Amino acid sequence: MKKLLYLLIALCAIVSCARMGSPDGGWYDEDPPRIMGSYPAEKATNVKGKKMAIYFDEYIKLADATQNVIVSPPQIEMPDIKAAGKKIVIKLQDTLKSNMTYTVDFSDAITDNNEDNPLGNYTYTFSTGEQIDTLEVSGHVIDASNLEPVKGILVGLYDDLADSAFQTKPMLRVARTDGRGRFVIRGVAPGEYRVYALQDADGNYTFSQKSEMLAFSHQTYKPHAEPDTRQDTLWRDSLHIDSIMQVPYIHFYPDDIVLMAFQEVQTARYLLKTERKEPDRIGVYFSYGSEQLPVIRGLNFDADNAFVLETSPKKDTLTYWLRDTLLVNQDTLTFSMEYLMTDTLGQLVSQTDTIEALAKTPYAKRRKALQKEMDEWQKEQDKKKKRDEPYDSIYPVRLLEPKYNAPQAMDPHRVIQIEMPSPLARLDTAAIHLYSKIDSLWYRAPFNFYQRDSMLRQYEVIAEWHPGREYSFEVDSAAFVDIYGLVSGEYKQGIKVKTLDEYASIVIEVSGLDEKNIILQLLDNGDKPVQEAAVGDDGTAQFFYVLPGTYYLRAFVDRNGNGHWDTGNYDEDLQAEDVYYYWRAIDAKAKWDITEQWNLTARPRNQQKPGAITKQQPDKEKKQIKNRNIERASQLGITYVKPNK
């Protein structure tokens, strides 16, 4: 009897340990909402009404229908799509087109109300005609300048193959790209199409503004479908595969379209703003530059020879430096400015504005601040005098203070840069010296002193830097004098050029394109160029003096030979210059000579850019509730079995 009692207790313990019950509070719901029906029915034909409803087995949520739900054909008047309890109500505002398949693509915007389980890639379909069109077209949209996936851009089909259709007709069928830049256009009828992408700023589904990012191609596509099979992996648990099955499905083509999106140069010219943040200069900002500079006529001052003009390289930003300190001290300068602007017809016309340039800090306030500074200085000198300490009897002269970029540790291919705080009236190159130390003795080293192209206040010192050698860069006082008479002081900087043993060299053997003027860029882990090299006639590009680190490669075809990447233009039928990325990182180490072979076209361009430097990452998938249930069961020491819903 006693043995039987022990046996019963042990049996109860075993059953208790292996129970498949629910913990306090119950399990998380891990099932997405299920569709119970719709009106009109899914894939209904001959639909005439513009109101639809989709019914679910539980309360649901719809995330940002305006951005996440796409109706095709596109609706010029925004449809009203809302979640209401256990249903979604769709109200189309546009007149329905006859004999047309309509799709309402919800993507993963539908979730249950409690746990946010996504329904996932759901598309509601109906037709106003006798049949449902079921073909699909898919692919990717990437930024032509850097191969980044373009998220949220519209992709549309045209059965009108004329170039003008993109600017005169709304898209026939549309989809929107996800975080990977991928799109799927559903409900497509048999036929021949061209595919475009558009960041539709005004919601008219046509390319109507130069500010809209776009992608186009002259290639045409004939959608079709074929039976195919794919592998479906069944998992026994999170670590072990149970089996791999061959699953038949319908494969829709084309599924590999790659569109290169770009934004045209914004050539419309208009005045953005004028400002006088500092009393000695007036900033004038345009949306686009022009070789014809504005004409300034002073209204409360004489503008003749009043300015030193500093322009940006594109001449869209102009800085008018005031020569005369009397004008600098004048709080308000009023003048007329005649300049070119773009009219409503897109033509450049003359425009004259009256400008009041008001100093941000009034002269009286600036003078008061200066007087306060001088008084404090005088008090400090008086204290020193009473303590019988050395003191200054004259207020120190304000010096011109150039910004020197002369590092103590110099790369052999770098230059010394000097930026002046204000335009110069005079400079003395004889007061600039570079010395080289050879066998413990100092010798004069040759160098060239240049003003940077189109940069009024920036200069460069270019020298032949010998690896491992010491230099001394010295500037005498009064080498620079600005337009206000301020004089620079002395400057001295010791420089040690790094040895060759501190660098790597990289040689890239390029193939895959029969193009000239290919330029390679060595990139850091922020996708920014650190060096640039042209591909030579032998098909190689070389990078020297590469510091140890991890690098990436980008190439572009410099069609016009201007040395930089250029965007496209739709009216001129001009694509952006082709860009390519090397698909993996390059690890450079000191003393290493690295040679890599790169076939630019070996991979589709949407698969080229390394994930480590891709900023636009795929959309995060919604958290799977099942994992939370398994984790909770494990903490409770019980086995979780999914309950029947």
Side-chain angles (χ1 to χ4, degrees), residues 13 70 87 99 182 206 248 271 287 310 338 363 413 420 472 476 531 638:
I70 293 291
K87 66 180 178 180
N99 298 314
R182 180 164 176 77
T206 61
L271 180 63
S287 61
E310 179 179 8
E338 183 181 355
Y363 173 64
H413 62 299
M420 301 298 168
S472 179
D476 299 338
Q531 278 198 49
I638 60 178

Side-chain angles (χ1 to χ4, degrees), residues 450-493:
Y450 293 105
Q451 184 176 19
R452 292 186 62 186
D453 291 343
S454 74
M455 306 299 285
L456 178 66
R457 295 180 293 115
Q458 296 188 20
Y459 300 85
E460 290 182 343
V461 175
I462 301 175
E464 183 180 357
W465 306 105
H466 294 273
R469 188 173 294 181
E470 291 184 47
Y471 292 82
S472 179
F473 176 62
E474 302 176 12
V475 181
D476 299 338
S477 61
F480 309 116
V481 182
D482 77 352
I483 58 176
Y484 306 117
L486 297 182
V487 178
S488 63
E490 292 183 350
Y491 177 83
K492 184 176 181 179
Q493 174 67 60

Side-chain angles (χ1 to χ4, degrees), residues 118 267 308 355 403 474 567:
T267 57
V308 173
I355 308 294
K403 293 181 180 179
E474 302 176 12
T567 189

Side-chain angles (χ1 to χ4, degrees), residues 220-383:
T220 61
Y221 300 93
K222 294 181 178 180
H224 62 285
E226 298 177 6
D228 204 345
T229 58
R230 62 169 172 250
Q231 290 186 345
D232 191 1
T233 302
L234 300 179
W235 294 84
R236 186 183 313 144
D237 52 42
S238 60
L239 298 176
H240 302 90
I241 296 175
D242 184 68
S243 61
I244 298 177
M245 300 176 60
Q246 297 294 323
V247 180
Y249 76 106
I250 300 299
H251 195 151
F252 294 100
Y253 296 94
D255 63 350
D256 57 354
I257 298 172
V258 178
L259 294 174
M260 310 301 297
F262 62 87
Q263 195 166 21
E264 296 185 351
V265 173
Q266 307 304 296
T267 57
R269 177 175 166 85
Y270 51 89
L271 180 63
L272 293 171
K273 64 177 179 177
T274 60
E275 63 182 10
R276 192 180 171 193
K277 285 185 176 181
E278 301 295 335
D280 57 1
R281 74 205 76 162
I282 300 171
V284 180
Y285 304 88
F286 291 96
S287 61
Y288 191 73
S290 173
E291 292 297 323
Q292 185 172 329
L293 298 173
V295 177
I296 304 292
R297 298 180 178 89
L299 300 180
N300 67 344
F301 68 100
D302 184 2
D304 293 340
N305 203 34
F307 304 109
V308 173
L309 177 59
E310 179 179 8
T311 66
S312 65
K314 295 182 179 180
K315 292 185 171 57
D316 52 359
T317 299
L318 311 176
T319 303
Y320 291 86
W321 291 84
L322 299 168
R323 292 179 181 272
D324 194 338
T325 54
L326 291 177
L327 292 182
V328 174
N329 295 335
Q330 188 170 325
D331 287 341
T332 303
L333 297 174
T334 307
F335 56 91
S336 69
M337 184 170 66
E338 183 181 355
Y339 60 93
L340 293 178
M341 66 168 288
T342 305
D343 64 9
T344 55
L345 299 177
Q347 303 298 317
L348 284 175
V349 297
S350 180
Q351 169 75 18
T352 301
D353 292 342
T354 298
I355 308 294
E356 277 195 351
L358 194 67
K360 186 176 181 180
T361 306
Y363 173 64
K365 189 173 182 179
R366 302 197 307 271
R367 185 175 180 180
K368 185 177 179 180
L370 178 60
Q371 186 62 53
K372 182 179 179 181
E373 182 180 312
M374 293 176 67
D375 291 343
E376 290 177 353
W377 175 86
Q378 187 61 57
K379 288 179 182 179
E380 183 63 29
Q381 301 310 309
D382 291 342
K383 290 179 181 178

Side-chain angles (χ1 to χ4, degrees), residues 533-544:
V535 177
D537 293 337
D538 61 352
T540 66
Q542 300 177 344
F543 298 99
F544 300 106

